[in-house]
Amino acid sequence: MSRSSDRRPWIAALTGALAVGLAVAAIRPGRAQAPARYGFGQPATAAQIKGWDIDIRGDDGLGLPPGKGTVKQGETLYLAQCASCHGEFGEGNGRWPELMGGGGTLTSDDPRKTIGSYWPYAPVVFDYVRRTMPFNAPQSLSDDEVYAITAYLLHINDVLPADAELDAARLKAVKLPNRDGFIQGDPRPDVVTMGEPCMSNCRTTPPKVTSDLAQRLGVTPDRKPKD
């Protein structure tokens, strides 16, 4: 048998593989030839977008939905949906956070950050409850139920009386005790403010290191990286 005849099976196999590759390339368009649309999917409708667009602005309550609920209704709902984690009176349960009390503790060594002591805006309570609670079934409560639970939470923080009813207008009008407790910037004397960013005639040379403590600690070695 000659060497030419020995190569025939390999040549035939290679020719066949090449033909298959060309056929696949012909029916499978390249990336540059991909169509603008693939024939599936559809633009989101206004109703679908509304289902996701549920955020509520804290300072003025923009986005609060229609509805209402009382403190009494909220107590019943809270005991059924929330008390197992947050305690019957919002005192917290185990490692679950407390929701009431804490007034006057923010400047202590053991600050208690609750709705009544720390949160600045009441509409955020509604937004948080509706968005994330109950823990095992978030967004399962109706807007009326969320208004009722929000009313109860504000009641146990001494913000609303026991016979109060809450709706969007009343919730916007609620001023939490710590509304004005948040300040802009950091006034601590040992914190250096960065000031306004340089917009013209800015430094072109590297800043001068005035302390070598970081270098001696090895956190900023005085060597340039190799690449």
Side-chain angles (χ1 to χ4, degrees):
M1 184 178 292
S2 67
R3 294 176 60 86
S4 175
S5 61
D6 291 341
R7 291 198 298 268
R8 286 176 183 171
W10 294 97
I11 294 174
L14 180 61
T15 303
L18 179 61
V20 171
L22 291 174
V24 170
I27 63 175
R28 184 177 182 180
R31 182 180 297 274
Q33 298 173 335
R37 298 192 61 180
Y38 291 91
F40 55 86
Q42 60 186 12
T45 65
Q48 290 170 331
I49 294 175
K50 186 178 180 180
W52 289 91
D53 186 17
I54 63 172
D55 63 298
I56 296 170
R57 199 158 63 190
D59 56 348
D60 61 3
L62 180 66
L64 281 170
K68 61 182 179 181
T70 66
V71 172
K72 186 173 181 60
Q73 293 168 337
E75 180 179 12
T76 302
L77 289 165
Y78 178 89
L79 292 175
Q81 303 285 351
C82 319
S84 61
C85 295
H86 297 289
E88 293 186 6
F89 304 99
E91 73 275 20
N93 188 8
R95 301 186 66 178
W96 297 98
E98 57 187 344
L99 303 176
M100 55 79 70
T105 68
L106 296 183
T107 58
S108 70
D109 294 335
D110 184 23
R112 295 169 55 197
K113 297 181 179 179
T114 71
I115 294 171
S117 69
Y118 184 70
W119 291 35
Y121 301 118
V124 178
V125 182
F126 182 99
D127 180 75
Y128 192 88
V129 172
R130 183 173 69 165
R131 187 186 300 276
T132 65
M133 296 292 139
F135 182 75
N136 60 344
Q139 300 185 29
S140 62
L141 299 171
S142 69
D143 290 338
D144 285 347
E145 290 173 328
V146 178
Y147 272 114
I149 291 177
T150 302
Y152 180 70
L153 293 174
L154 295 177
H155 168 64
I156 62 177
N157 279 280
D158 297 327
V159 176
L160 290 181
D163 59 350
E165 183 179 74
L166 203 60
D167 57 15
R170 295 187 179 99
L171 185 55
K172 292 177 185 178
V174 170
K175 184 176 181 179
L176 293 182
N178 199 37
R179 166 73 70 88
D180 301 322
F182 289 80
I183 56 178
Q184 298 293 328
D186 194 332
R188 290 176 295 179
D190 58 333
V191 175
V192 179
T193 57
M194 299 302 293
E196 293 295 327
C198 179
M199 303 299 291
S200 62
N201 298 323
C202 303
R203 180 200 302 274
T204 58
T205 57
K208 181 181 179 180
V209 178
T210 58
S211 172
D212 63 349
L213 176 60
Q215 294 178 358
R216 284 189 281 112
L217 293 176
V219 295
T220 54
D222 189 19
R223 291 184 292 111
K224 294 182 179 180
K226 295 181 180 180
D227 53 13

